Amino acid sequence: MINIVIFGAPGAGKGTQAQLLAEKFDFLHISTGDLLRQEVAMQTPMGLRAKAIMNRGDLVGDDIVVALLDRALRQRSTLPNPDAAVDPWDRELYGDPHRPEGCIIDGFPRTVQQAQTLEFIFNKLQRKIDCVVAIDVPHDELVRRIHERAAISGRADDTEEVIRHRIELYDQQTQPVLDYYRVSGMLVTIDGSGEIAETNGRICKTLELVMHLKAKR
């Protein structure tokens, strides 16, 4: 069982790669953004709290995000057997119980404190993070991709200045987290400047090596 955290700036294809890896390796894909949107759509108590915060234009606090992440990891990755009882809310949110081979997390952590919290959650589950993948794409290519994606989706109102600001903000916020994982020896930087399949192939080779080394321990 291998557990991965994936990073990528806006336009790097992080979400796409996470989905592809989840399908290939039978990982549980946990996106904190998706978890929040599911809670809001289902109008759960936590979802209503998050919606009120988002409607004000504020960032959802760590307490909510961490609670959702903790529940998702416990519910789907530590069930003793496929027939274990599941809370109705959890079944509707996460589907029928299935014990995957590992998990891949995107959208979290965004700060060093969140990274430490994530490690604490995994320790409670007697598991650990095995690899942190950072998809590296040149800024000009990120801008081009976001412009292209916005045009396709009909949201082509972002200026290049705004897009570059978002990318720079991401770099500023995540660099301390990447440095934190680099010191721990878990960080692997992947060239994401090519096509989706090329990037996916590079990540798969890395993860296969990590799994091979882990199996030999």
CSV table of all heavy atoms in Angstrom, one decimal, residues 94-128:
chain,number,residue,atom,x,y,z
A,94,TYR,N,-19.1,8.6,-0.5
A,94,TYR,CA,-17.9,7.9,-1.0
A,94,TYR,C,-18.2,6.6,-1.7
A,94,TYR,O,-17.3,5.9,-2.2
A,94,TYR,CB,-16.9,7.7,0.1
A,94,TYR,CG,-16.6,8.9,0.9
A,94,TYR,CD1,-16.9,9.0,2.2
A,94,TYR,CD2,-16.0,10.0,0.3
A,94,TYR,CE1,-16.6,10.2,2.9
A,94,TYR,CE2,-15.8,11.2,1.0
A,94,TYR,CZ,-16.1,11.3,2.3
A,94,TYR,OH,-15.8,12.4,3.0
A,95,GLY,N,-19.5,6.2,-1.9
A,95,GLY,CA,-19.8,5.0,-2.6
A,95,GLY,C,-19.7,3.8,-1.7
A,95,GLY,O,-19.5,3.9,-0.5
A,96,ASP,N,-19.8,2.6,-2.3
A,96,ASP,CA,-19.7,1.4,-1.5
A,96,ASP,C,-18.2,1.2,-1.0
A,96,ASP,O,-17.3,1.6,-1.7
A,96,ASP,CB,-20.1,0.2,-2.4
A,96,ASP,CG,-21.6,0.2,-2.7
A,96,ASP,OD1,-22.3,0.7,-1.8
A,96,ASP,OD2,-21.9,-0.3,-3.7
A,97,PRO,N,-18.1,0.6,0.1
A,97,PRO,CA,-16.8,0.4,0.7
A,97,PRO,C,-15.8,-0.4,-0.2
A,97,PRO,O,-16.2,-1.4,-0.8
A,97,PRO,CB,-17.0,-0.4,2.0
A,97,PRO,CG,-18.4,-0.2,2.3
A,97,PRO,CD,-19.1,0.0,1.0
A,98,HIS,N,-14.6,0.1,-0.3
A,98,HIS,CA,-13.6,-0.6,-1.2
A,98,HIS,C,-12.3,-0.3,-0.6
A,98,HIS,O,-12.0,0.9,-0.3
A,98,HIS,CB,-13.7,-0.2,-2.6
A,98,HIS,CG,-12.5,-0.6,-3.4
A,98,HIS,ND1,-12.2,-1.9,-3.6
A,98,HIS,CD2,-11.5,0.1,-4.0
A,98,HIS,CE1,-11.1,-2.0,-4.3
A,98,HIS,NE2,-10.7,-0.8,-4.6
A,99,ARG,N,-11.5,-1.3,-0.3
A,99,ARG,CA,-10.2,-1.0,0.3
A,99,ARG,C,-9.2,-0.9,-0.9
A,99,ARG,O,-8.7,-1.9,-1.4
A,99,ARG,CB,-9.8,-2.2,1.2
A,99,ARG,CG,-8.6,-1.8,2.0
A,99,ARG,CD,-8.5,-2.7,3.2
A,99,ARG,NE,-7.4,-2.3,4.1
A,99,ARG,CZ,-7.3,-2.7,5.4
A,99,ARG,NH1,-8.2,-3.5,5.9
A,99,ARG,NH2,-6.3,-2.3,6.1
A,100,PRO,N,-8.7,0.3,-1.2
A,100,PRO,CA,-7.8,0.5,-2.3
A,100,PRO,C,-6.4,0.1,-1.9
A,100,PRO,O,-6.1,-0.2,-0.8
A,100,PRO,CB,-7.9,2.0,-2.6
A,100,PRO,CG,-8.3,2.5,-1.3
A,100,PRO,CD,-9.1,1.5,-0.6
A,101,GLU,N,-5.5,0.1,-2.9
A,101,GLU,CA,-4.1,-0.3,-2.7
A,101,GLU,C,-3.3,0.9,-2.0
A,101,GLU,O,-2.2,0.7,-1.6
A,101,GLU,CB,-3.4,-0.7,-4.0
A,101,GLU,CG,-4.0,-2.0,-4.6
A,101,GLU,CD,-3.7,-3.1,-3.7
A,101,GLU,OE1,-2.6,-3.2,-3.1
A,101,GLU,OE2,-4.6,-4.0,-3.5
A,102,GLY,N,-3.9,2.0,-2.1
A,102,GLY,CA,-3.2,3.2,-1.5
A,102,GLY,C,-4.1,4.4,-1.8
A,102,GLY,O,-5.2,4.3,-2.2
A,103,CYS,N,-3.5,5.6,-1.5
A,103,CYS,CA,-4.3,6.8,-1.8
A,103,CYS,C,-3.4,7.9,-2.4
A,103,CYS,O,-2.1,7.9,-2.2
A,103,CYS,CB,-4.9,7.3,-0.6
A,103,CYS,SG,-3.8,8.1,0.6
A,104,ILE,N,-4.0,8.8,-3.1
A,104,ILE,CA,-3.3,9.9,-3.7
A,104,ILE,C,-4.1,11.2,-3.3
A,104,ILE,O,-5.3,11.2,-3.5
A,104,ILE,CB,-3.1,9.8,-5.2
A,104,ILE,CG1,-2.4,11.0,-5.8
A,104,ILE,CG2,-4.5,9.6,-5.9
A,104,ILE,CD1,-1.9,10.8,-7.2
A,105,ILE,N,-3.5,12.1,-2.7
A,105,ILE,CA,-4.1,13.3,-2.2
A,105,ILE,C,-3.7,14.5,-3.0
A,105,ILE,O,-2.5,14.8,-3.2
A,105,ILE,CB,-3.8,13.5,-0.7
A,105,ILE,CG1,-4.3,12.3,0.1
A,105,ILE,CG2,-4.4,14.8,-0.1
A,105,ILE,CD1,-3.8,12.4,1.6
A,106,ASP,N,-4.7,15.3,-3.4
A,106,ASP,CA,-4.4,16.6,-4.1
A,106,ASP,C,-5.2,17.7,-3.5
A,106,ASP,O,-6.3,17.5,-3.0
A,106,ASP,CB,-4.5,16.5,-5.6
A,106,ASP,CG,-6.0,16.5,-6.1
A,106,ASP,OD1,-6.6,17.6,-6.0
A,106,ASP,OD2,-6.5,15.5,-6.6
A,107,GLY,N,-4.7,18.9,-3.5
A,107,GLY,CA,-5.3,20.0,-2.9
A,107,GLY,C,-5.0,20.2,-1.4
A,107,GLY,O,-5.4,21.2,-0.8
A,108,PHE,N,-4.1,19.4,-0.9
A,108,PHE,CA,-3.7,19.4,0.5
A,108,PHE,C,-2.4,18.6,0.7
A,108,PHE,O,-2.3,17.6,0.1
A,108,PHE,CB,-4.8,18.8,1.4
A,108,PHE,CG,-4.7,19.1,2.9
A,108,PHE,CD1,-5.3,20.1,3.5
A,108,PHE,CD2,-3.9,18.2,3.7
A,108,PHE,CE1,-5.2,20.3,4.9
A,108,PHE,CE2,-3.8,18.4,5.0
A,108,PHE,CZ,-4.4,19.5,5.6
A,109,PRO,N,-1.5,19.1,1.4
A,109,PRO,CA,-1.4,20.4,2.2
A,109,PRO,C,-1.0,21.6,1.4
A,109,PRO,O,-0.4,21.5,0.4
A,109,PRO,CB,-0.4,20.0,3.3
A,109,PRO,CG,0.6,19.1,2.6
A,109,PRO,CD,-0.2,18.3,1.6
A,110,ARG,N,-1.3,22.8,2.0
A,110,ARG,CA,-0.9,24.0,1.3
A,110,ARG,C,0.0,24.8,2.2
A,110,ARG,O,0.6,25.8,1.8
A,110,ARG,CB,-2.1,24.9,1.0
A,110,ARG,CG,-3.0,24.2,-0.1
A,110,ARG,CD,-4.1,25.2,-0.4
A,110,ARG,NE,-5.0,24.6,-1.4
A,110,ARG,CZ,-4.9,24.6,-2.7
A,110,ARG,NH1,-3.8,25.2,-3.2
A,110,ARG,NH2,-5.7,24.0,-3.6
A,111,THR,N,0.2,24.4,3.5
A,111,THR,CA,1.2,25.0,4.4
A,111,THR,C,1.9,23.9,5.1
A,111,THR,O,1.5,22.7,5.1
A,111,THR,CB,0.4,25.9,5.4
A,111,THR,OG1,-0.4,25.0,6.3
A,111,THR,CG2,-0.5,26.9,4.8
A,112,VAL,N,3.0,24.3,5.7
A,112,VAL,CA,3.8,23.4,6.5
A,112,VAL,C,3.0,22.8,7.7
A,112,VAL,O,3.1,21.6,8.0
A,112,VAL,CB,5.1,24.0,7.0
A,112,VAL,CG1,5.9,23.1,8.0
A,112,VAL,CG2,6.0,24.4,5.8
A,113,GLN,N,2.2,23.7,8.3
A,113,GLN,CA,1.4,23.2,9.4
A,113,GLN,C,0.4,22.1,8.9
A,113,GLN,O,0.2,21.1,9.6
A,113,GLN,CB,0.6,24.4,10.0
A,113,GLN,CG,-0.2,24.0,11.2
A,113,GLN,CD,-0.9,25.2,11.9
A,113,GLN,OE1,-0.6,26.3,11.6
A,113,GLN,NE2,-1.9,24.9,12.8
A,114,GLN,N,-0.2,22.3,7.7
A,114,GLN,CA,-1.1,21.3,7.2
A,114,GLN,C,-0.3,20.0,6.9
A,114,GLN,O,-0.9,18.9,7.1
A,114,GLN,CB,-1.8,21.9,5.9
A,114,GLN,CG,-2.8,22.9,6.2
A,114,GLN,CD,-3.5,23.4,4.9
A,114,GLN,OE1,-3.1,23.0,3.8
A,114,GLN,NE2,-4.5,24.2,5.1
A,115,ALA,N,0.9,20.1,6.4
A,115,ALA,CA,1.7,19.0,6.1
A,115,ALA,C,1.9,18.2,7.4
A,115,ALA,O,1.9,16.9,7.4
A,115,ALA,CB,3.0,19.4,5.5
A,116,GLN,N,2.2,18.9,8.5
A,116,GLN,CA,2.4,18.2,9.8
A,116,GLN,C,1.1,17.5,10.3
A,116,GLN,O,1.1,16.4,10.8
A,116,GLN,CB,3.0,19.2,10.8
A,116,GLN,CG,4.4,19.7,10.4
A,116,GLN,CD,4.8,20.8,11.3
A,116,GLN,OE1,4.0,21.6,11.8
A,116,GLN,NE2,6.1,21.1,11.4
A,117,THR,N,0.0,18.2,10.0
A,117,THR,CA,-1.3,17.7,10.4
A,117,THR,C,-1.6,16.4,9.6
A,117,THR,O,-2.1,15.4,10.1
A,117,THR,CB,-2.4,18.7,10.2
A,117,THR,OG1,-2.2,19.9,10.9
A,117,THR,CG2,-3.8,18.1,10.5
A,118,LEU,N,-1.3,16.4,8.3
A,118,LEU,CA,-1.5,15.2,7.5
A,118,LEU,C,-0.7,14.1,8.0
A,118,LEU,O,-1.2,12.9,8.0
A,118,LEU,CB,-1.1,15.6,6.0
A,118,LEU,CG,-1.4,14.5,5.0
A,118,LEU,CD1,-2.9,14.1,5.0
A,118,LEU,CD2,-0.9,14.9,3.6
A,119,GLU,N,0.5,14.3,8.4
A,119,GLU,CA,1.4,13.2,8.9
A,119,GLU,C,0.8,12.7,10.2
A,119,GLU,O,0.8,11.5,10.4
A,119,GLU,CB,2.8,13.8,9.2
A,119,GLU,CG,3.6,14.0,7.9
A,119,GLU,CD,5.0,14.6,8.2
A,119,GLU,OE1,5.4,14.6,9.3
A,119,GLU,OE2,5.6,15.1,7.2
A,120,PHE,N,0.2,13.6,11.0
A,120,PHE,CA,-0.4,13.2,12.3
A,120,PHE,C,-1.6,12.2,12.0
A,120,PHE,O,-1.8,11.2,12.6
A,120,PHE,CB,-0.9,14.4,13.0
A,120,PHE,CG,-1.6,14.0,14.3
A,120,PHE,CD1,-1.0,13.6,15.4
A,120,PHE,CD2,-3.0,14.2,14.4
A,120,PHE,CE1,-1.7,13.2,16.6
A,120,PHE,CE2,-3.7,13.9,15.5
A,120,PHE,CZ,-3.0,13.4,16.6
A,121,ILE,N,-2.4,12.6,10.9
A,121,ILE,CA,-3.6,11.8,10.6
A,121,ILE,C,-3.1,10.4,10.1
A,121,ILE,O,-3.6,9.3,10.5
A,121,ILE,CB,-4.4,12.4,9.4
A,121,ILE,CG1,-5.1,13.7,9.9
A,121,ILE,CG2,-5.4,11.5,8.9
A,121,ILE,CD1,-5.7,14.5,8.9
A,122,PHE,N,-2.1,10.3,9.3
A,122,PHE,CA,-1.5,9.1,8.8
A,122,PHE,C,-1.0,8.2,9.9
A,122,PHE,O,-1.1,7.0,10.0
A,122,PHE,CB,-0.5,9.3,7.7
A,122,PHE,CG,-1.1,9.4,6.3
A,122,PHE,CD1,-1.4,10.6,5.8
A,122,PHE,CD2,-1.3,8.2,5.6
A,122,PHE,CE1,-1.9,10.7,4.5
A,122,PHE,CE2,-1.9,8.3,4.3
A,122,PHE,CZ,-2.1,9.5,3.8
A,123,ASN,N,-0.3,8.9,10.9
A,123,ASN,CA,0.2,8.2,12.0
A,123,ASN,C,-0.9,7.5,12.8
A,123,ASN,O,-0.7,6.4,13.3
A,123,ASN,CB,1.0,9.1,12.9
A,123,ASN,CG,2.4,9.5,12.3
A,123,ASN,OD1,2.9,8.8,11.5
A,123,ASN,ND2,2.9,10.6,12.7
A,124,LYS,N,-2.0,8.2,13.0
A,124,LYS,CA,-3.1,7.6,13.7
A,124,LYS,C,-3.6,6.3,13.0
A,124,LYS,O,-4.1,5.4,13.6
A,124,LYS,CB,-4.3,8.6,13.8
A,124,LYS,CG,-4.0,9.7,14.8
A,124,LYS,CD,-5.3,10.4,15.1
A,124,LYS,CE,-6.0,11.0,13.9
A,124,LYS,NZ,-7.3,11.7,14.2
A,125,LEU,N,-3.5,6.3,11.7
A,125,LEU,CA,-4.0,5.2,10.9
A,125,LEU,C,-2.9,4.1,10.7
A,125,LEU,O,-3.1,3.1,10.0
A,125,LEU,CB,-4.4,5.6,9.5
A,125,LEU,CG,-5.6,6.6,9.5
A,125,LEU,CD1,-5.8,7.1,8.1
A,125,LEU,CD2,-6.8,6.0,10.0
A,126,GLN,N,-1.7,4.4,11.4
A,126,GLN,CA,-0.6,3.5,11.3
A,126,GLN,C,-0.1,3.3,9.8
A,126,GLN,O,0.2,2.2,9.4
A,126,GLN,CB,-0.9,2.1,11.9
A,126,GLN,CG,-1.2,2.2,13.4
A,126,GLN,CD,-1.4,0.8,14.0
A,126,GLN,OE1,-2.0,-0.1,13.4
A,126,GLN,NE2,-1.0,0.7,15.3
A,127,ARG,N,-0.1,4.5,9.2
A,127,ARG,CA,0.4,4.5,7.8
A,127,ARG,C,1.3,5.7,7.6
A,127,ARG,O,1.5,6.5,8.6
A,127,ARG,CB,-0.8,4.7,6.8
A,127,ARG,CG,-1.7,3.5,6.8
A,127,ARG,CD,-3.0,3.7,6.1
A,127,ARG,NE,-2.8,4.0,4.7
A,127,ARG,CZ,-3.8,4.2,3.8
A,127,ARG,NH1,-5.0,4.3,4.2
A,127,ARG,NH2,-3.5,4.5,2.6
A,128,LYS,N,1.9,5.9,6.5
A,128,LYS,CA,2.8,7.0,6.2
A,128,LYS,C,2.7,7.4,4.8
A,128,LYS,O,2.3,6.7,3.9
A,128,LYS,CB,4.2,6.5,6.6
A,128,LYS,CG,4.8,5.4,5.7
A,128,LYS,CD,6.2,5.1,6.0
A,128,LYS,CE,7.1,6.3,5.5
A,128,LYS,NZ,8.3,5.9,4.8
